[in-house]
Amino acid sequence: MTSPTVCTCQPGATLWLNGAPWRAAAEELADRLRAGHHRRVEVLDPADSAVPGESGRAAAERIGLVAEILARHGILAVVTAPEEAAADLDRVRSRHRRADTAFLEMPPPGPGSAAPTVEVLLALMTEHALVPAG
């Protein structure tokens, strides 16, 4: 069995998705990018690696550090963080800027808004040249 070809020619980035409804879209996005664009993608959820007693700010910084390191190495890091983590992102954004690493953020959908879709995420990534158009 041969390993699938993975493109390492595209830049890495962190795509930070605030709010719980993004998890399913993040997983579907990762699957589609791996299959259709041969991208290296990791979905990160701070809840999956919670540290007992860790503050929300520390959790956001920790997962942001992991995402930035992955992105710096050409991997698309998709973070599905709880909505309250959005208030603690200044240091994460700053770290990405210092490393010259792309950081995109999607807010949680507003009340009464449609569920997030992969097409919305793909459009955002295409707009920022993280996946080819088409």
Side-chain angles (χ1 to χ4, degrees), residues 16-62:
W16 194 281
L17 308 174
N18 288 308
W22 287 113
R23 181 63 188 233
E27 294 291 347
E28 184 181 340
L29 174 69
D31 290 343
R32 285 180 59 180
L33 289 173
R34 288 178 191 125
H37 296 280
H38 307 288
R39 287 294 311 253
R40 295 182 298 168
V41 182
E42 289 296 328
V43 177
L44 306 172
D45 186 334
D48 291 344
S49 61
V51 175
E54 184 176 47
S55 70
R57 174 169 293 225
E61 285 186 44
R62 179 178 48 80

Side-chain angles (χ1 to χ4, degrees), residues 30-98:
D31 290 343
R32 285 180 59 180
L33 289 173
R34 288 178 191 125
H37 296 280
H38 307 288
R39 287 294 311 253
R40 295 182 298 168
V41 182
E42 289 296 328
V43 177
L44 306 172
D45 186 334
D48 291 344
S49 61
V51 175
E54 184 176 47
S55 70
R57 174 169 293 225
E61 285 186 44
R62 179 178 48 80
I63 206 75
L65 169 64
V66 171
E68 189 272 321
I69 291 169
L70 291 171
R72 199 172 349 127
H73 288 88
I75 297 168
L76 175 64
V78 182
V79 179
T80 58
E83 195 169 335
E84 57 272 10
D88 298 318
L89 284 178
D90 288 339
R91 289 185 181 170
V92 174
R93 286 185 202 99
S94 177
R95 179 178 184 83
H96 279 73
R97 265 193 307 277
R98 283 191 314 272

